[in-house]
Amino acid sequence: MAVAGAGVFALFTAFHLIHGWVSIKLAQCIIYRMREQLHKKLQALHVGFFDQTQTGRIVSRVLDDVAVIQQAITGQLGAFIACVSKLIIAMGIVWWINWRLALVIGASLPF
């Protein structure tokens, strides 16, 4: 039983490391694309827009919005994926130990 516990711990640790790497890579790709699109949009705006709007205000708005979205992607999305993955792994372990108990637990999940 100790070997199974060590295996589960190693599995969760490996999953945590892979999850961290994937979520950082995903967030970087999404933010990069978003910044590219924002740059193209700002370049396509007419000159009158820049006459009416202060440059500092535009830059501040873009930077703040991108930072908020980046935080949401790395924080909440990553936590959601981690929780769902842990649930799937835990259900797999319970299924392996006792499939009847896994059916009872699975029936009580709020899907």
Side-chain angles (χ1 to χ4, degrees):
M1 193 62 164
V3 173
V8 169
F9 177 74
L11 181 66
F12 276 121
T13 302
F15 177 75
H16 184 70
L17 291 173
I18 292 169
H19 166 262
W21 182 78
V22 168
S23 65
I24 289 172
K25 187 72 172 168
L26 177 66
Q28 286 177 348
C29 289
I30 291 171
I31 296 301
Y32 178 76
R33 287 187 196 139
M34 184 182 305
R35 286 184 175 154
E36 274 187 326
Q37 290 174 354
L38 281 169
H39 181 260
K40 288 178 185 177
K41 176 68 176 174
L42 286 172
Q43 293 295 320
L45 291 174
H46 59 88
V47 179
F49 173 78
F50 295 104
D51 288 340
Q52 296 172 355
T53 310
Q54 296 175 347
T55 305
R57 201 168 180 166
I58 296 169
V59 171
S60 175
R61 180 72 186 257
V62 168
L63 291 178
D64 289 344
D65 289 352
V66 170
V68 167
I69 293 171
Q70 184 176 14
Q71 185 180 19
I73 291 171
T74 57
Q76 286 79 17
L77 182 64
F80 174 76
I81 292 171
C83 288
V84 170
S85 300
K86 287 178 184 178
L87 176 67
I88 291 169
I89 291 171
M91 284 301 294
I93 292 170
V94 171
W95 187 273
W96 179 60
I97 293 172
N98 187 345
W99 65 271
R100 291 182 188 112
L101 180 62
L103 289 176
V104 172
I105 293 172
S108 67
L109 291 175
F111 289 112

Short mmCIF file of all heavy atoms in Angstrom, two decimals, residues 42-94:
data_model
loop_
_atom_site.label_atom_id
_atom_site.label_comp_id
_atom_site.label_asym_id
_atom_site.label_seq_id
_atom_site.Cartn_x
_atom_site.Cartn_y
_atom_site.Cartn_z
N LEU A 42 -4.55 49.03 -33.40
CA LEU A 42 -4.10 50.41 -33.15
C LEU A 42 -3.47 51.03 -34.39
O LEU A 42 -3.65 52.22 -34.66
CB LEU A 42 -3.11 50.45 -31.98
CG LEU A 42 -3.72 50.25 -30.59
CD1 LEU A 42 -2.63 50.12 -29.54
CD2 LEU A 42 -4.68 51.38 -30.25
N GLN A 43 -2.77 50.22 -35.16
CA GLN A 43 -2.16 50.73 -36.39
C GLN A 43 -3.22 51.07 -37.44
O GLN A 43 -3.01 51.93 -38.28
CB GLN A 43 -1.16 49.72 -36.96
CG GLN A 43 0.07 49.52 -36.10
CD GLN A 43 0.90 50.78 -36.01
OE1 GLN A 43 1.09 51.50 -36.97
NE2 GLN A 43 1.41 51.05 -34.80
N ALA A 44 -4.34 50.37 -37.40
CA ALA A 44 -5.39 50.57 -38.40
C ALA A 44 -6.32 51.74 -38.06
O ALA A 44 -7.09 52.17 -38.91
CB ALA A 44 -6.21 49.30 -38.54
N LEU A 45 -6.26 52.25 -36.84
CA LEU A 45 -7.14 53.35 -36.45
C LEU A 45 -6.77 54.63 -37.21
O LEU A 45 -5.60 54.85 -37.55
CB LEU A 45 -7.05 53.61 -34.94
CG LEU A 45 -7.64 52.52 -34.05
CD1 LEU A 45 -7.34 52.82 -32.59
CD2 LEU A 45 -9.14 52.39 -34.27
N HIS A 46 -7.75 55.45 -37.43
CA HIS A 46 -7.51 56.69 -38.16
C HIS A 46 -6.77 57.70 -37.26
O HIS A 46 -6.81 57.61 -36.03
CB HIS A 46 -8.81 57.28 -38.69
CG HIS A 46 -9.82 57.57 -37.60
ND1 HIS A 46 -9.86 58.75 -36.93
CD2 HIS A 46 -10.80 56.81 -37.09
CE1 HIS A 46 -10.83 58.72 -36.03
NE2 HIS A 46 -11.42 57.54 -36.11
N VAL A 47 -6.11 58.64 -37.86
CA VAL A 47 -5.28 59.61 -37.14
C VAL A 47 -6.13 60.47 -36.19
O VAL A 47 -5.68 60.86 -35.13
CB VAL A 47 -4.50 60.49 -38.14
CG1 VAL A 47 -3.67 61.52 -37.42
CG2 VAL A 47 -3.62 59.62 -39.02
N GLY A 48 -7.37 60.73 -36.56
CA GLY A 48 -8.24 61.55 -35.73
C GLY A 48 -8.46 60.94 -34.35
O GLY A 48 -8.64 61.67 -33.36
N PHE A 49 -8.45 59.63 -34.27
CA PHE A 49 -8.61 58.97 -32.98
C PHE A 49 -7.47 59.35 -32.04
O PHE A 49 -7.68 59.62 -30.86
CB PHE A 49 -8.66 57.45 -33.16
CG PHE A 49 -8.65 56.69 -31.86
CD1 PHE A 49 -9.80 56.59 -31.09
CD2 PHE A 49 -7.49 56.09 -31.40
CE1 PHE A 49 -9.79 55.90 -29.89
CE2 PHE A 49 -7.47 55.39 -30.21
CZ PHE A 49 -8.63 55.29 -29.45
N PHE A 50 -6.25 59.40 -32.58
CA PHE A 50 -5.09 59.73 -31.76
C PHE A 50 -5.04 61.22 -31.42
O PHE A 50 -4.42 61.61 -30.45
CB PHE A 50 -3.81 59.27 -32.45
CG PHE A 50 -3.74 57.77 -32.59
CD1 PHE A 50 -3.99 57.16 -33.81
CD2 PHE A 50 -3.44 56.97 -31.51
CE1 PHE A 50 -3.93 55.79 -33.95
CE2 PHE A 50 -3.39 55.60 -31.63
CZ PHE A 50 -3.63 55.00 -32.85
N ASP A 51 -5.69 62.04 -32.25
CA ASP A 51 -5.80 63.47 -31.93
C ASP A 51 -6.76 63.69 -30.77
O ASP A 51 -6.55 64.58 -29.94
CB ASP A 51 -6.28 64.26 -33.15
CG ASP A 51 -5.21 64.38 -34.22
OD1 ASP A 51 -4.01 64.21 -33.89
OD2 ASP A 51 -5.59 64.62 -35.40
N GLN A 52 -7.81 62.89 -30.70
CA GLN A 52 -8.83 63.06 -29.67
C GLN A 52 -8.48 62.36 -28.36
O GLN A 52 -8.95 62.76 -27.30
CB GLN A 52 -10.17 62.50 -30.16
CG GLN A 52 -10.73 63.24 -31.35
CD GLN A 52 -11.95 62.54 -31.92
OE1 GLN A 52 -12.32 61.46 -31.49
NE2 GLN A 52 -12.56 63.17 -32.92
N THR A 53 -7.69 61.31 -28.41
CA THR A 53 -7.39 60.51 -27.22
C THR A 53 -5.92 60.67 -26.85
O THR A 53 -5.04 60.63 -27.71
CB THR A 53 -7.69 59.02 -27.50
OG1 THR A 53 -8.99 58.91 -28.06
CG2 THR A 53 -7.61 58.20 -26.24
N GLN A 54 -5.67 60.84 -25.56
CA GLN A 54 -4.29 60.98 -25.08
C GLN A 54 -3.55 59.65 -25.24
O GLN A 54 -4.10 58.58 -24.97
CB GLN A 54 -4.28 61.39 -23.62
CG GLN A 54 -4.87 62.75 -23.36
CD GLN A 54 -4.94 63.06 -21.87
OE1 GLN A 54 -4.76 62.19 -21.04
NE2 GLN A 54 -5.19 64.32 -21.57
N THR A 55 -2.30 59.74 -25.65
CA THR A 55 -1.49 58.54 -25.89
C THR A 55 -1.31 57.74 -24.61
O THR A 55 -1.40 56.51 -24.62
CB THR A 55 -0.12 58.94 -26.46
OG1 THR A 55 -0.32 59.73 -27.63
CG2 THR A 55 0.69 57.71 -26.83
N GLY A 56 -1.06 58.41 -23.51
CA GLY A 56 -0.88 57.72 -22.23
C GLY A 56 -2.10 56.94 -21.81
O GLY A 56 -2.01 55.86 -21.23
N ARG A 57 -3.26 57.48 -22.13
CA ARG A 57 -4.50 56.80 -21.81
C ARG A 57 -4.65 55.52 -22.63
O ARG A 57 -5.11 54.49 -22.12
CB ARG A 57 -5.66 57.74 -22.08
CG ARG A 57 -6.88 57.39 -21.36
CD ARG A 57 -7.88 58.49 -21.44
NE ARG A 57 -9.03 58.00 -20.71
CZ ARG A 57 -10.00 58.74 -20.32
NH1 ARG A 57 -10.01 60.01 -20.58
NH2 ARG A 57 -10.99 58.22 -19.67
N ILE A 58 -4.28 55.57 -23.89
CA ILE A 58 -4.36 54.39 -24.76
C ILE A 58 -3.40 53.32 -24.27
O ILE A 58 -3.77 52.14 -24.11
CB ILE A 58 -4.04 54.75 -26.22
CG1 ILE A 58 -5.08 55.73 -26.77
CG2 ILE A 58 -3.98 53.50 -27.09
CD1 ILE A 58 -4.71 56.34 -28.10
N VAL A 59 -2.18 53.72 -24.00
CA VAL A 59 -1.16 52.75 -23.55
C VAL A 59 -1.56 52.14 -22.22
O VAL A 59 -1.46 50.93 -22.01
CB VAL A 59 0.22 53.44 -23.46
CG1 VAL A 59 1.24 52.53 -22.79
CG2 VAL A 59 0.71 53.85 -24.84
N SER A 60 -2.04 52.97 -21.30
CA SER A 60 -2.47 52.48 -19.99
C SER A 60 -3.60 51.48 -20.12
O SER A 60 -3.61 50.43 -19.47
CB SER A 60 -2.89 53.64 -19.11
OG SER A 60 -3.41 53.18 -17.89
N ARG A 61 -4.56 51.79 -20.95
CA ARG A 61 -5.71 50.91 -21.14
C ARG A 61 -5.29 49.57 -21.72
O ARG A 61 -5.71 48.51 -21.26
CB ARG A 61 -6.72 51.59 -22.06
CG ARG A 61 -7.95 50.81 -22.36
CD ARG A 61 -8.85 50.73 -21.14
NE ARG A 61 -9.97 49.85 -21.36
CZ ARG A 61 -11.20 50.27 -21.60
NH1 ARG A 61 -11.46 51.55 -21.65
NH2 ARG A 61 -12.15 49.40 -21.79
N VAL A 62 -4.44 49.61 -22.73
CA VAL A 62 -3.98 48.36 -23.36
C VAL A 62 -3.19 47.52 -22.38
O VAL A 62 -3.43 46.31 -22.23
CB VAL A 62 -3.14 48.67 -24.63
CG1 VAL A 62 -2.42 47.42 -25.12
CG2 VAL A 62 -4.01 49.24 -25.72
N LEU A 63 -2.26 48.12 -21.66
CA LEU A 63 -1.43 47.37 -20.72
C LEU A 63 -2.26 46.79 -19.57
O LEU A 63 -2.07 45.64 -19.18
CB LEU A 63 -0.32 48.24 -20.17
CG LEU A 63 0.77 48.64 -21.17
CD1 LEU A 63 1.79 49.56 -20.52
CD2 LEU A 63 1.46 47.42 -21.74
N ASP A 64 -3.18 47.57 -19.05
CA ASP A 64 -4.01 47.08 -17.94
C ASP A 64 -4.92 45.95 -18.39
O ASP A 64 -5.06 44.95 -17.67
CB ASP A 64 -4.85 48.22 -17.36
CG ASP A 64 -4.03 49.23 -16.58
OD1 ASP A 64 -2.88 48.91 -16.23
OD2 ASP A 64 -4.54 50.34 -16.32
N ASP A 65 -5.54 46.10 -19.55
CA ASP A 65 -6.44 45.05 -20.03
C ASP A 65 -5.69 43.74 -20.30
O ASP A 65 -6.16 42.66 -19.94
CB ASP A 65 -7.17 45.50 -21.30
CG ASP A 65 -8.21 46.56 -21.02
OD1 ASP A 65 -8.48 46.84 -19.83
OD2 ASP A 65 -8.75 47.14 -21.99
N VAL A 66 -4.53 43.84 -20.91
CA VAL A 66 -3.74 42.64 -21.19
C VAL A 66 -3.29 41.99 -19.88
O VAL A 66 -3.32 40.76 -19.74
CB VAL A 66 -2.54 42.97 -22.10
CG1 VAL A 66 -1.58 41.80 -22.19
CG2 VAL A 66 -3.03 43.35 -23.49
N ALA A 67 -2.91 42.78 -18.89
CA ALA A 67 -2.47 42.23 -17.60
C ALA A 67 -3.61 41.51 -16.89
O ALA A 67 -3.41 40.44 -16.31
CB ALA A 67 -1.92 43.35 -16.72
N VAL A 68 -4.80 42.07 -16.95
CA VAL A 68 -5.96 41.43 -16.31
C VAL A 68 -6.28 40.10 -16.99
O VAL A 68 -6.53 39.09 -16.31
CB VAL A 68 -7.19 42.37 -16.34
CG1 VAL A 68 -8.46 41.63 -15.98
CG2 VAL A 68 -6.98 43.53 -15.40
N ILE A 69 -6.25 40.08 -18.30
CA ILE A 69 -6.54 38.84 -19.03
C ILE A 69 -5.45 37.80 -18.78
O ILE A 69 -5.74 36.61 -18.60
CB ILE A 69 -6.73 39.14 -20.53
CG1 ILE A 69 -7.99 39.96 -20.73
CG2 ILE A 69 -6.78 37.85 -21.34
CD1 ILE A 69 -8.19 40.51 -22.10
N GLN A 70 -4.21 38.24 -18.74
CA GLN A 70 -3.11 37.31 -18.46
C GLN A 70 -3.27 36.70 -17.07
O GLN A 70 -3.07 35.50 -16.89
CB GLN A 70 -1.77 38.02 -18.57
CG GLN A 70 -0.58 37.11 -18.38
CD GLN A 70 0.73 37.85 -18.61
OE1 GLN A 70 0.77 39.06 -18.64
NE2 GLN A 70 1.79 37.09 -18.74
N GLN A 71 -3.62 37.50 -16.10
CA GLN A 71 -3.82 36.99 -14.74
C GLN A 71 -4.97 36.00 -14.70
O GLN A 71 -4.89 34.98 -14.02
CB GLN A 71 -4.08 38.15 -13.79
CG GLN A 71 -4.17 37.74 -12.35
CD GLN A 71 -4.42 38.93 -11.44
OE1 GLN A 71 -4.85 39.98 -11.88
NE2 GLN A 71 -4.14 38.75 -10.17
N ALA A 72 -6.05 36.29 -15.42
CA ALA A 72 -7.19 35.38 -15.44
C ALA A 72 -6.82 34.05 -16.09
O ALA A 72 -7.23 32.98 -15.61
CB ALA A 72 -8.35 36.02 -16.19
N ILE A 73 -6.05 34.10 -17.17
CA ILE A 73 -5.67 32.87 -17.87
C ILE A 73 -4.76 32.02 -17.00
O ILE A 73 -4.96 30.81 -16.87
CB ILE A 73 -4.98 33.20 -19.21
CG1 ILE A 73 -6.00 33.78 -20.18
CG2 ILE A 73 -4.34 31.96 -19.81
CD1 ILE A 73 -5.38 34.33 -21.44
N THR A 74 -3.76 32.62 -16.39
CA THR A 74 -2.82 31.84 -15.60
C THR A 74 -3.40 31.42 -14.26
O THR A 74 -3.05 30.37 -13.73
CB THR A 74 -1.51 32.62 -15.36
OG1 THR A 74 -1.82 33.86 -14.73
CG2 THR A 74 -0.77 32.84 -16.64
N GLY A 75 -4.30 32.20 -13.70
CA GLY A 75 -4.85 31.89 -12.39
C GLY A 75 -6.06 31.00 -12.43
O GLY A 75 -6.01 29.81 -12.11
N GLN A 76 -7.19 31.54 -12.86
CA GLN A 76 -8.45 30.81 -12.78
C GLN A 76 -8.52 29.64 -13.76
O GLN A 76 -8.99 28.57 -13.39
CB GLN A 76 -9.64 31.76 -13.02
CG GLN A 76 -9.92 32.68 -11.87
CD GLN A 76 -9.00 33.88 -11.79
OE1 GLN A 76 -8.34 34.22 -12.76
NE2 GLN A 76 -8.95 34.53 -10.63
N LEU A 77 -8.08 29.84 -14.98
CA LEU A 77 -8.14 28.75 -15.96
C LEU A 77 -7.23 27.60 -15.54
O LEU A 77 -7.62 26.43 -15.62
CB LEU A 77 -7.75 29.26 -17.35
CG LEU A 77 -7.81 28.23 -18.47
CD1 LEU A 77 -9.25 27.76 -18.68
CD2 LEU A 77 -7.25 28.81 -19.75
N GLY A 78 -6.06 27.94 -15.06
CA GLY A 78 -5.14 26.89 -14.61
C GLY A 78 -5.67 26.12 -13.42
O GLY A 78 -5.55 24.89 -13.36
N ALA A 79 -6.28 26.82 -12.48
CA ALA A 79 -6.86 26.15 -11.31
C ALA A 79 -8.01 25.24 -11.72
O ALA A 79 -8.16 24.13 -11.19
CB ALA A 79 -7.33 27.18 -10.30
N PHE A 80 -8.83 25.70 -12.66
CA PHE A 80 -9.95 24.87 -13.14
C PHE A 80 -9.45 23.59 -13.79
O PHE A 80 -9.94 22.50 -13.51
CB PHE A 80 -10.82 25.67 -14.11
CG PHE A 80 -11.90 24.86 -14.74
CD1 PHE A 80 -13.04 24.53 -14.02
CD2 PHE A 80 -11.78 24.43 -16.05
CE1 PHE A 80 -14.04 23.77 -14.61
CE2 PHE A 80 -12.78 23.68 -16.64
CZ PHE A 80 -13.92 23.34 -15.92
N ILE A 81 -8.47 23.72 -14.67
CA ILE A 81 -7.92 22.54 -15.35
C ILE A 81 -7.29 21.58 -14.35
O ILE A 81 -7.46 20.37 -14.44
CB ILE A 81 -6.92 22.97 -16.44
CG1 ILE A 81 -7.66 23.68 -17.57
CG2 ILE A 81 -6.16 21.76 -17.00
CD1 ILE A 81 -6.76 24.33 -18.59
N ALA A 82 -6.59 22.13 -13.36
CA ALA A 82 -5.97 21.29 -12.34
C ALA A 82 -7.01 20.53 -11.53
O ALA A 82 -6.86 19.34 -11.26
CB ALA A 82 -5.10 22.14 -11.43
N CYS A 83 -8.08 21.20 -11.15
CA CYS A 83 -9.14 20.55 -10.35
C CYS A 83 -9.83 19.44 -11.14
O CYS A 83 -10.06 18.35 -10.60
CB CYS A 83 -10.14 21.58 -9.87
SG CYS A 83 -9.49 22.64 -8.58
N VAL A 84 -10.16 19.72 -12.37
CA VAL A 84 -10.83 18.70 -13.20
C VAL A 84 -9.90 17.51 -13.42
O VAL A 84 -10.33 16.35 -13.34
CB VAL A 84 -11.30 19.30 -14.54
CG1 VAL A 84 -11.76 18.22 -15.49
CG2 VAL A 84 -12.40 20.32 -14.30
N SER A 85 -8.64 17.77 -13.66
CA SER A 85 -7.68 16.68 -13.88
C SER A 85 -7.50 15.85 -12.63
O SER A 85 -7.44 14.61 -12.69
CB SER A 85 -6.34 17.25 -14.33
OG SER A 85 -6.50 17.96 -15.52
N LYS A 86 -7.43 16.49 -11.47
CA LYS A 86 -7.30 15.75 -10.21
C LYS A 86 -8.53 14.90 -9.96
O LYS A 86 -8.43 13.78 -9.46
CB LYS A 86 -7.07 16.71 -9.05
CG LYS A 86 -5.68 17.30 -9.04
CD LYS A 86 -5.51 18.28 -7.90
CE LYS A 86 -4.16 18.95 -7.94
NZ LYS A 86 -3.98 19.93 -6.87
N LEU A 87 -9.70 15.43 -10.29
CA LEU A 87 -10.93 14.66 -10.13
C LEU A 87 -10.91 13.42 -11.02
O LEU A 87 -11.27 12.32 -10.57
CB LEU A 87 -12.15 15.52 -10.47
CG LEU A 87 -13.50 14.83 -10.44
CD1 LEU A 87 -13.84 14.43 -9.01
CD2 LEU A 87 -14.57 15.71 -11.02
N ILE A 88 -10.47 13.57 -12.24
CA ILE A 88 -10.41 12.43 -13.16
C ILE A 88 -9.41 11.39 -12.66
O ILE A 88 -9.69 10.18 -12.66
CB ILE A 88 -10.07 12.90 -14.59
CG1 ILE A 88 -11.24 13.70 -15.16
CG2 ILE A 88 -9.71 11.73 -15.50
CD1 ILE A 88 -10.92 14.43 -16.45
N ILE A 89 -8.26 11.84 -12.20
CA ILE A 89 -7.25 10.90 -11.69
C ILE A 89 -7.76 10.20 -10.43
O ILE A 89 -7.61 8.99 -10.28
CB ILE A 89 -5.92 11.64 -11.43
CG1 ILE A 89 -5.30 12.07 -12.75
CG2 ILE A 89 -4.96 10.76 -10.63
CD1 ILE A 89 -4.10 12.99 -12.59
N ALA A 90 -8.38 10.96 -9.53
CA ALA A 90 -8.90 10.37 -8.30
C ALA A 90 -10.00 9.35 -8.61
O ALA A 90 -10.06 8.27 -8.00
CB ALA A 90 -9.43 11.45 -7.38
N MET A 91 -10.87 9.67 -9.57
CA MET A 91 -11.92 8.72 -9.95
C MET A 91 -11.31 7.46 -10.58
O MET A 91 -11.82 6.36 -10.37
CB MET A 91 -12.91 9.37 -10.91
CG MET A 91 -13.87 10.32 -10.25
SD MET A 91 -14.88 9.56 -8.97
CE MET A 91 -15.87 8.44 -9.93
N GLY A 92 -10.23 7.63 -11.33
CA GLY A 92 -9.54 6.46 -11.88
C GLY A 92 -8.97 5.57 -10.79
O GLY A 92 -9.06 4.33 -10.86
N ILE A 93 -8.40 6.18 -9.76
CA ILE A 93 -7.84 5.40 -8.65
C ILE A 93 -8.95 4.69 -7.89
O ILE A 93 -8.83 3.51 -7.55
CB ILE A 93 -7.02 6.32 -7.73
CG1 ILE A 93 -5.76 6.80 -8.46
CG2 ILE A 93 -6.65 5.60 -6.44
CD1 ILE A 93 -5.01 7.89 -7.75
N VAL A 94 -10.05 5.42 -7.63
CA VAL A 94 -11.18 4.80 -6.93
C VAL A 94 -11.76 3.66 -7.78
O VAL A 94 -12.11 2.60 -7.25
CB VAL A 94 -12.27 5.85 -6.59
CG1 VAL A 94 -13.52 5.19 -6.06
CG2 VAL A 94 -11.73 6.84 -5.59
#
